[in-house]
Amino acid sequence: MSQEQWSSVDEYICVSMVESDAALEAALADSKAAGMPLINVAPNQGKLLGLLASIQGAQRILEIGTLGGYSTIWLGRALPVAGRLITLELEPHHAEVARKNLERAGLAQVVEVKVGPALETLPQLERSEPPFDFVFIDADKANIPEYLDWSLRLTRPGSVIVVDNVVRKGAVADPTSADPSVLGVRRFNEKLSQLRNVSATTIQTVGSKGYDGFALVRVLSPSS
Ligand code: SAH
Ligand code: DHB
Ligand code: MG
């Protein structure tokens, strides 16, 4: 099994069942033209996020890690007309590109991009926002455990939390790893194992983005 094969199967899947359009393509093209890293979710992963948010019946979504807003478009499209999505981004330049991409996708009314370190913007949300139904955690990996804590404070029983990049080419299972991202994911997993009020699993994935995976967490009851 090779990266080449994973990519060609992803390509086949995307051609077969993942419809793209001008707004999604332009979001990727403009992110690339702006010199931003090409680390957005793959199209079939973006569609999965949208499907999960729809299945959840989400009306309020929180995203941590906007980049150019590619995943944000998939999530925003899963919302009802009166829905709301808040997405948190550290880099002002990323946020600026994302806002344009979201505007072009017709989501400017639904999505708000908040700029700053997420650990500074998340506490503001606790004061100003009702609970979120769905959270997508996809920013700096070393802080995933803190983002889980905040997500639990900002959600309700029944909410769903998805966390990207939690397998890291398999390095997550290496207890000797000193990689801050791996340590972040391992600390997240330890936290999860201590929590009695969530139900969670992780699925390994291969595809155009290599070998990685995502975690799916359901909030069962209020945090104590
Ligand atoms: N969700 C996007 C990809 C996000 S890439 C998509 O799939 O399309 C990760 C993003 O998180 C980058 O834009 C990076 O600037 C941002 N980021 C990194 N550290 C952060 C922090 N402390 N707070 C908020 N955003 C952060
Ligand atoms: C990176 C970040 C991501 O969110 C991702 O999906 C892939 C790679 C990165 O920081 O390299
Ligand atoms: Mg990611």
Side-chain angles (χ1 to χ4, degrees):
M1 293 291 276
S2 65
Q3 178 60 57
E4 197 187 348
Q5 185 173 31
W6 301 340
S7 292
S8 60
V9 174
D10 252 4
E11 181 62 29
Y12 168 71
I13 292 167
C14 290
V15 167
S16 313
M17 62 189 96
V18 183
E19 54 291 327
S20 192
D21 58 40
L24 286 166
E25 294 305 323
L28 293 180
D30 282 12
S31 301
K32 190 174 178 183
M36 289 158 61
L38 306 176
I39 53 175
N40 49 273
V41 292
N44 47 344
Q45 295 173 329
K47 188 163 180 188
L48 175 65
L49 289 173
L51 284 166
L52 289 170
S54 300
I55 292 164
Q56 166 69 351
Q59 305 202 24
R60 300 180 43 77
I61 298 178
L62 171 65
E63 177 178 66
I64 309 177
T66 316
L67 193 66
Y70 183 77
S71 55
T72 322
I73 295 175
W74 281 105
L75 287 167
R77 287 178 174 176
L79 284 169
V81 275
R84 181 155 162 82
L85 192 164
I86 297 183
T87 183
L88 309 181
E89 174 54 50
L90 174 66
E91 299 290 343
H93 182 232
H94 293 183
E96 186 191 330
V97 173
R99 285 192 187 108
K100 287 190 187 133
N101 289 336
L102 291 160
E103 166 99 56
R104 185 170 33 211
L107 291 166
Q109 304 303 312
V110 173
V111 179
E112 180 184 351
V113 185
K114 276 187 180 284
V115 181
L119 290 178
E120 290 179 17
T121 48
L122 286 162
Q124 298 168 11
L125 300 182
E126 192 176 33
R127 288 187 288 275
S128 62
E129 292 291 329
F132 293 93
D133 311 307
F134 190 97
V135 183
F136 180 45
I137 300 177
D138 193 24
D140 50 322
K141 313 307 169 187
N143 280 320
I144 290 176
E146 285 66 43
Y147 297 149
L148 173 67
D149 287 342
W150 276 106
S151 297
L152 292 171
R153 297 173 77 145
L154 294 167
T155 51
R156 53 157 178 93
S159 293
V160 167
I161 304 166
V162 175
V163 189
D164 198 19
N165 312 116
V166 295
V167 172
R168 314 211 62 83
K169 297 188 169 77
V172 69
D174 174 7
T176 68
S177 174
D179 177 333
S181 297
V182 172
L183 290 170
V185 177
R186 289 181 63 90
R187 204 152 55 79
F188 160 75
N189 291 335
E190 281 153 31
K191 230 175 227 292
L192 277 179
S193 72
Q194 305 290 316
L195 289 171
R196 288 288 147 268
N197 68 319
V198 301
S199 180
T201 191
T202 287
I203 293 298
Q204 306 182 64
T205 56
V206 294
S208 57
K209 291 192 68 182
Y211 169 33
D212 212 326
F214 62 90
L216 186 64
V217 182
R218 183 162 196 257
V219 182
L220 301 176
S221 55
S223 307
S224 45

